[in-house]
Amino acid sequence: MDYDTYGSTAVELAIDLANADLAPDDGVARFLASHDEWFATGTSLDLTPADVEKAAVTARLVRAVALAESQDDVLTRLNELLALARPRPYATDHDGELHLHYAGPDAPALEQLTTTVAMGLSQVVVQHGWQRLGVCSAEGCDDVYVDTSRNASRRYCSNTCASRSTVAAYRARQKS
């Protein structure tokens, strides 16, 4: 699967958000700080408690899109996520390459995050199909992933989970 660089990294941000541990009091703040390259220079990453809850809602909606089992479910959940977005795209060359950003540089951090995540995820779903989103099949793992394989056959979030599952299946066969 081939998709544009900015869109691909925006969907990776969405996946990171869906898989992040936001439960601790500082979970959202730690997530924002670890992804600060996504925010316009000078954007305050300080969020109100209401903003923290809204970030968690965004994360849950990304996960819900990946968990959907039909196109209708995906559309419903994706549209819920898109309803939170405030797209104000603009072209930039801040990194030496011309590309679009989905949220204005003066937008608050939560708006930049939600809009980028919603737009990145929707681009993948619309251009490559909702089946490209999934949840890891490995025992004990529920990480969300985007299937970038050529034939859309990915079942695991990482090579680690795939290997662990393969070894577990092998050992189970050897026991019986």
Side-chain angles (χ1 to χ4, degrees), residues 28-29 32-36 39 42-47 109:
V28 173
L32 295 178
S34 68
H35 292 80
D36 65 344
F39 303 100
T43 300
S44 172
L45 299 182
D46 295 331
L47 301 180

Side-chain angles (χ1 to χ4, degrees), residues 2-176:
D2 185 30
Y3 50 109
D4 73 89
T5 304
Y6 184 72
S8 68
T9 54
V11 78
E12 288 168 11
L13 178 66
I15 299 306
D16 286 352
L17 181 61
N19 293 333
D21 181 11
L22 303 178
D25 290 342
D26 67 341
V28 173
R30 283 186 295 105
F31 179 84
L32 295 178
S34 68
H35 292 80
D36 65 344
E37 73 276 7
W38 278 99
F39 303 100
T41 304
T43 300
S44 172
L45 299 182
D46 295 331
L47 301 180
T48 66
D51 288 341
V52 169
E53 179 52 36
K54 289 176 184 175
V57 167
T58 299
R60 286 192 295 271
L61 284 171
V62 171
R63 179 170 290 281
V65 171
L67 287 168
E69 295 182 6
S70 72
Q71 183 168 309
D72 287 342
D73 284 345
V74 167
L75 289 175
T76 298
R77 295 169 184 187
L78 186 59
N79 282 326
E80 285 180 54
L81 179 60
L82 286 167
L84 301 177
R86 301 287 177 257
R88 289 189 342 232
Y90 70 98
T92 182
D93 66 350
H94 66 84
D95 62 358
E97 290 192 33
L98 189 62
H99 62 277
L100 290 175
H101 279 256
Y102 301 123
D106 57 338
L110 180 63
E111 186 175 317
Q112 290 182 46
L113 175 69
T114 301
T115 300
T116 301
V117 163
M119 298 304 292
L121 195 62
S122 63
Q123 292 268 330
V124 168
V125 169
V126 169
Q127 292 177 1
H128 303 287
W130 65 273
Q131 301 90 338
R132 289 290 185 162
L133 300 173
V135 177
C136 188
S137 296
E139 183 75 28
C141 183
D142 66 348
D143 280 357
V144 173
Y145 64 85
V146 176
D147 183 353
T148 58
S149 67
R150 179 172 279 176
N151 61 356
S153 61
R154 186 169 171 181
R155 293 181 33 223
Y156 301 101
C157 67
S158 66
N159 287 337
T160 302
C161 281
S163 295
R164 190 176 50 226
S165 295
T166 301
V167 169
Y170 172 78
R171 289 181 179 157
R173 285 191 305 273
Q174 296 305 308
K175 272 188 172 178
S176 56

